[in-house]
Amino acid sequence: LDLVEALLRDGNLKAAEEELKNARPSSRKSLVSGHVDFAAKRYAAAIKNYLNVPEDPKRNVFLARAYGQSQEWKECDRTFGNSGTLWLSRDEDVILKGTCEYQLRKWEAALRTLRAGYEKSQSFLVQREETALLLEMGLSRAALDSVFLRRTPSVAESLGLAELFHNKKLIDDTLIILEWTRSKFPFDLDTNLTLAKVYFGKGQLHATAEAFERAARIDSRYAYHSAEIRRQLGQPQVAQYWTPLVPDEKERLKSRMALYVDTNRY
């Protein structure tokens, strides 16, 4: 059984299943069989094996995971509740416990779970789930606070949080997060490109042009976008500044021809 568990940790499921056949029936074999079934995504079989193991908090965590994967939310919630505080040891268990409570419409319990998990691990994964839950509950102000009152996120984490707000059509809040991110990481390409996309969707072409120009100073591929937006804004002189910086020959020609047409230089 030690070998089976080692093979599972190494991701060698087939060898683990073969080795398990040689083990004698026992409570521990049922537990390890549950682990093998869980790894193979046979969640109903995993539940059956875990139920053959004497109940204790550790076994209940394993069982709750299997219930959660089977979307048996009520049993998942009950079993996590009988696991003591062991669910706090892994971010995945914190998130799954919160998911089970959310699916049962136990909003406040899910929020408490995620907040307790974040206090324990300071994990971005848990923070993101908490923010998403607050948005689902319609608490956009509290969700925005959860972004700024936690630890300073990385660029990728900030963009991930901004995406949650954008998916809920909370455009002004999205821009608050993105501009805050830009203040922390002014030369990050993805941040400036995301700002350009959001501002363009909102119809704010001046802000769109500024975002593309910042991106173009980092990566010249976006000089074409800078020239095109400035041309659309009726600013041919600024567009003419960016056009020679366009690295792609065809795009550079296209930009130059558009400027000629706009200024009646047929």
Side-chain angles (χ1 to χ4, degrees), residues 23 44 51 63 71 76 79 92 94 152 169 171 206 208 216 220 237:
L51 287 172
L63 182 57
Q71 298 186 4
C76 173
T79 311
E92 293 82 356
V94 171
T152 301
K169 311 299 182 185
I171 304 304
H206 282 91
T208 303
S220 61
Q237 290 182 331

Side-chain angles (χ1 to χ4, degrees), residues 123-243:
S123 163
F124 170 72
L125 292 176
V126 177
Q127 179 188 4
R128 190 180 190 279
E129 289 297 318
E130 180 190 344
T131 303
L133 176 60
L134 289 167
L135 289 173
E136 287 294 326
M137 295 170 68
L139 301 173
S140 58
R141 293 298 92 188
L144 197 59
D145 287 343
S146 74
V147 174
F148 295 112
L149 297 181
R150 301 300 194 191
R151 60 180 179 77
T152 301
S154 67
V155 173
E157 292 169 350
S158 293
L159 295 179
L161 292 170
E163 184 180 12
L164 293 177
F165 287 82
H166 192 263
N167 290 341
K168 290 295 183 181
K169 311 299 182 185
L170 299 169
I171 304 304
D172 289 340
D173 291 340
T174 303
L175 289 171
I176 288 172
I177 298 172
L178 291 174
E179 289 290 4
W180 178 78
T181 305
R182 184 171 70 89
S183 73
K184 298 289 184 182
F185 310 98
F187 301 108
D188 180 70
L189 181 62
D190 290 337
T191 299
N192 285 297
L193 290 177
T194 305
L195 275 166
K197 177 182 177 181
V198 176
Y199 276 127
F200 185 80
K202 199 177 180 184
Q204 296 186 6
L205 293 187
H206 282 91
T208 303
E210 291 172 358
F212 271 131
E213 287 168 349
R214 290 192 299 269
R217 292 185 177 95
I218 304 165
D219 187 334
S220 61
R221 288 180 299 171
Y222 299 100
Y224 174 77
H225 301 75
S226 303
E228 180 61 19
I229 295 294
R230 290 297 182 182
R231 185 185 68 81
Q232 292 178 23
L233 285 167
Q235 299 174 346
Q237 290 182 331
V238 183
Q240 285 174 352
Y241 168 80
W242 286 106
T243 296

Side-chain angles (χ1 to χ4, degrees), residues 46-48 50-51 58-68 75-76 78-79:
I47 290 170
K48 185 176 180 180
Y50 288 142
L51 287 172
K58 192 171 183 179
R59 168 269 207 181
N60 285 341
V61 168
F62 297 136
L63 182 57
R65 291 174 189 166
Y67 278 133
E75 291 301 317
C76 173
R78 180 186 63 79
T79 311

Side-chain angles (χ1 to χ4, degrees), residues 64-97:
R65 291 174 189 166
Y67 278 133
Q69 293 298 328
S70 297
Q71 298 186 4
E72 297 184 40
W73 307 121
K74 189 173 182 180
E75 291 301 317
C76 173
D77 179 44
R78 180 186 63 79
T79 311
F80 265 130
N82 294 328
S83 67
T85 59
L86 288 182
W87 57 271
L88 279 167
S89 301
R90 294 174 74 245
D91 292 340
E92 293 82 356
D93 290 334
V94 171
I95 292 170
L96 181 58
K97 184 174 184 293

